[in-house]
Structure formats: C-alpha cells, structure tokens
Amino acid sequence: MNSLLIGELSPEQPSFEPTKNKELIHEFRELRATVERMGLMKANPVFFLLYLLHILLLDVAAWLTLWLFGTSLVPFLLCSVLLSIVQAQAGWLQHDFGHLSVFGTSKWNHLLHHFVIGHLKGAPASWWNHLHFQHHAKPNCFRKDPDINMHPFFFALGKVLSVELGKQKKKYMPYNHQHKYFFLIGPPALLPVYFQWYIFYFVIHRKKWVDLAWMITFYVRIFLTYVPLLGLKGFLGLVFMVRFLESNWFVWVTQMNHIPMHIDHDRNMDWVSTQLQATCNVHKSAFNDWFSGHLNFQIEHHLFPTMPRHNYHKVAPLVQSLCAKHGIKYQSKPLFSAFADIIHSLKESGQLWLDAYLHQ
C-alpha cells in the first residue's frame, strides 16, 4: 500500500468523515466479533438439506397431481400452485447459496447456487449476483440500488425523491395513482413480463454461457416432464400461471422490507446506518419465516449478509439493543401490515409528487 500513500493528515484534521457515525461503527464491529464467537455465522447443514428436500418433494408432487388426477381445471390449478411454491422457495434457497451462507467454502456455495437458481428456477446466477450485491452495498440509494430502478419511470419512490421529481416538473406516470396501478404492473407483471425475458438477454449479451447451460437444463426438464401430459399450449399456460403466481409472492415479500423505508440519494453515510435506515422486519412466526425465506428478518440479514438465516432470530435482540443505544428505530410489524405499508408509502409519495408538481 506504500505506493498509494499520499501523505499523513495534520493533527488538526479529522480522520473520520462527519457524515458517518464513528461510535456506531465501532460498536457494530464489536457486535460482529461477539456473533462470531457465539457461532452464529456457522450453518446447520441439516436445516438446508431438509429445506432442499421439501422443495424437491413439492416439485414431484406437482407432476404427480397431473399424472394421477388428469389435466382438468382443478388438478391444473393445484399443480400450478405447487410449482409456484417450488419456485418461490427455491428463490429463497438460492439466496442463501448466493450469500455464501451455507457452506464454509465459496466453491460449494457457488456450485449449489448454480444448481438451485439455474436448474430448479431457470435463471442465471451471474445476473442475480450482479443486481443483488449492488442492492446490499447501497440499499434504497437512487442510482446505486438496482432494486429501486423503477423510479422514476414507473413509480415515484420515497419522500425526498418524489418531491424532487415534482419540483423538476417530471411526469412519466400519473404517480398520484401509483398505489392503484401497482396492483397491475407490480406484483403480477415483474416476473412473467420482464424478468422471464430479460434474463436471456443478460446471459447472451454478457456471454455467460455456463449460466445459459444451467438455465437450459431447467427448460428441457420441465418441457419433457409436462408437454406429454398437457401438450404444448397447456405447457405454456402452466409456465405463465406459475410465473404469475410466483411474481405476486416475490414482489410483496421483497418490497415490504424496503419500499416503506427511507429512499434517497447516497448521502455518504456509514455502512451500518445505511443498512438500518433502509430496512424493517416482519414479526417472527413459523409461517412468516417459511413464507419469506426468513427475509422477515431483513435488518439482521442486511447487517450480517453471510449469516445462515436460521440464526437471525438469535442475533435480533443484540441488534435491537444496539439500535436502542444509538436512538435508531428498529421496526418490526405484522405480515399484512407490512404489505399494507407498501401501498400506503406509494400513496404518500405519489401525493408528495403531485403537490410539488403543482405548487412548487
């Protein structure tokens, strides 16, 4: 590092940026050391093995439903629901492998990540890594977190950005109605209309041939499995229905922890403060943990992104104490309140945009 040394700061110069909370960072590092000593960064292999097995069993059950009961409407819908559960739960599991939180070595995490996201879901690992790592580095920071790229072309997000957009007299959509059209272009459309096709463009444009090969194994498998039972039209209908149901599940769960929180430009805050102001939790329960893949512990996940998810509830009281000491609000809410807060926040930011657009 000597070649990068420009010089030493004079004694009267601050060695820490004023926008960052030095004491909070120091205490978080101590908390991180405590967590490691408690063994909370070590995964329970049985947990993840059983989780994978329950996904595979549901996948088989979906096919057996059509094979045993025929392809009439009721078995078709039941098969669609089962496959949607498979896709959603595989999405949460690939998230674990993508964060390197299952195995002690990155090699095995990467291999299983390719298997789950590529073979079980038909999506590229490189695409997920590219987007998700940016999200974790700067959550809810405009132009740095790709998860909020729907601002401003589809939605006006956050109080600060919405007022700014209104003052600039920009109107790409009728944002004061965004809490209504969210139900049309948000949960139902993200996967079947956008992600389903963009992932192929991504891997071909970036020449990610290994990812493409894994994706092809998924489509070959489901084609050979379901076309003999449903025919080509029925198969395409099944794929669309599964992506539609999965999309609703995915969007509501992933947005409930972030959209209602602070959204702004990057203000060069310290990493811990950046994570805490952009995340909130949903109360723990057996169903909530399963339904969200333990992402109901979003605060703990963002502070400890490589921690195995089954340990989030163990570290949560320590995080709450840290937040209380520094006067930082630690939010946890019921599941349906979290869903409702997405709509409330969209309605509020849409109204803020309108007021600024008309009067400022």
Side-chain angles (χ1 to χ4, degrees):
M1 299 294 288
N2 286 335
S3 60
L4 301 178
L5 179 63
I6 297 174
E8 300 289 343
L9 288 172
S10 61
E12 68 274 8
Q13 290 294 318
S15 60
F16 209 83
E17 295 176 271
T19 57
K20 299 182 178 180
N21 190 329
K22 184 177 183 179
E23 184 180 354
L24 176 62
I25 293 174
H26 175 72
E27 294 195 18
F28 175 75
R29 288 172 179 167
E30 291 183 342
L31 174 60
R32 169 81 187 200
T34 300
V35 165
E36 291 178 350
R37 287 194 298 270
M38 294 171 64
L40 298 183
M41 303 304 290
K42 295 180 180 179
N44 180 355
V46 176
F47 172 87
F48 289 103
L49 176 60
L50 293 176
Y51 204 91
L52 176 60
L53 286 176
H54 111 281
I55 292 171
L56 298 177
L57 287 173
L58 287 170
D59 207 0
V60 173
W63 181 82
L64 285 175
T65 298
L66 295 181
W67 187 67
L68 293 173
F69 301 107
T71 59
S72 59
L73 181 61
V74 173
F76 179 86
L77 292 177
L78 180 57
C79 176
S80 300
V81 170
L82 289 172
L83 285 177
S84 300
I85 296 173
V86 168
Q87 289 301 298
Q89 293 298 326
W92 308 144
L93 184 59
Q94 68 82 23
H95 180 266
D96 297 314
F97 290 117
H99 273 284
L100 311 181
S101 62
V102 181
F103 295 104
T105 61
S106 59
K107 176 182 177 181
W108 282 102
N109 281 300
H110 288 315
L111 178 60
L112 268 295
H113 190 213
H114 277 293
F115 171 75
V116 176
I117 195 173
H119 182 68
L120 296 185
K121 286 189 61 61
S126 58
W127 164 76
W128 184 87
N129 291 336
H130 172 71
L131 296 178
H132 200 65
F133 294 165
Q134 293 180 72
H135 163 69
H136 270 269
K138 294 287 185 179
N140 282 8
C141 291
F142 183 48
R143 299 197 185 281
K144 294 190 176 181
D145 179 2
D147 284 10
I148 59 170
N149 277 351
M150 57 275 205
H151 176 93
F153 297 109
F154 296 103
F155 299 98
L157 299 179
K159 298 176 182 179
V160 175
L161 297 181
S162 297
V163 171
E164 179 183 274
L165 198 65
K167 289 181 177 179
Q168 294 171 350
K169 308 304 178 186
K170 292 183 177 179
K171 180 184 178 181
Y172 300 100
M173 295 285 283
Y175 304 118
N176 51 310
H177 296 290
Q178 63 184 359
H179 59 290
K180 302 171 186 175
Y181 65 72
F182 172 78
F183 290 94
L184 297 176
I185 69 171
L190 182 64
L191 267 64
V193 176
Y194 178 59
F195 278 0
Q196 181 66 45
W197 314 110
Y198 179 75
I199 54 178
F200 283 98
Y201 166 79
F202 181 92
V203 293
I204 294 172
H205 179 71
R206 295 179 179 245
K207 300 180 180 180
K208 301 293 184 179
W209 308 127
V210 172
D211 278 324
L212 181 60
W214 278 106
M215 292 166 63
I216 289 173
T217 67
F218 165 78
Y219 286 101
V220 169
R221 174 173 62 86
I222 63 169
F223 183 88
L224 295 178
T225 302
Y226 287 100
V227 167
L229 295 174
L230 294 170
L232 182 59
K233 289 184 179 180
F235 166 73
L236 294 176
L238 178 67
V239 170
F240 177 82
M241 178 64 72
V242 170
R243 291 303 187 209
F244 171 79
L245 294 174
E246 179 197 0
S247 185
N248 280 274
W249 187 337
F250 173 80
V251 172
W252 284 105
V253 169
T254 57
Q255 299 309 305
M256 68 183 182
N257 302 116
H258 293 296
I259 291 297
M261 302 304 291
H262 184 69
I263 301 175
D264 199 352
H265 297 280
D266 183 7
R267 301 299 181 184
N268 194 34
M269 298 176 67
D270 60 87
W271 183 83
V272 179
S273 297
T274 299
Q275 306 303 315
L276 290 172
Q277 73 172 3
T279 53
C280 65
N281 281 5
V282 169
H283 295 340
K284 174 178 172 56
S285 73
F287 175 78
N288 288 352
D289 292 352
W290 175 83
F291 185 74
S292 68
H294 288 84
L295 294 180
N296 50 324
F297 288 95
Q298 192 72 199
I299 297 172
E300 288 70 27
H301 171 58
H302 267 257
L303 292 177
F304 304 97
T306 59
M307 177 181 285
R309 64 158 105 160
H310 52 72
N311 288 332
Y312 290 156
H313 73 280
K314 298 177 182 178
V315 75
L318 302 177
V319 174
Q320 291 177 45
S321 297
L322 180 67
C323 290
K325 181 176 180 179
H326 291 273
I328 300 172
K329 188 176 182 180
Y330 181 100
Q331 293 191 46
S332 184
K333 59 189 78 169
L335 181 64
F336 287 101
S337 294
F339 291 163
D341 282 348
I342 298 175
I343 305 305
H344 294 156
S345 64
L346 289 174
K347 184 176 182 180
E348 181 183 24
S349 59
Q351 189 59 47
L352 288 170
W353 165 82
L354 182 63
D355 292 342
Y357 185 82
L358 296 176
H359 308 299
Q360 296 186 40

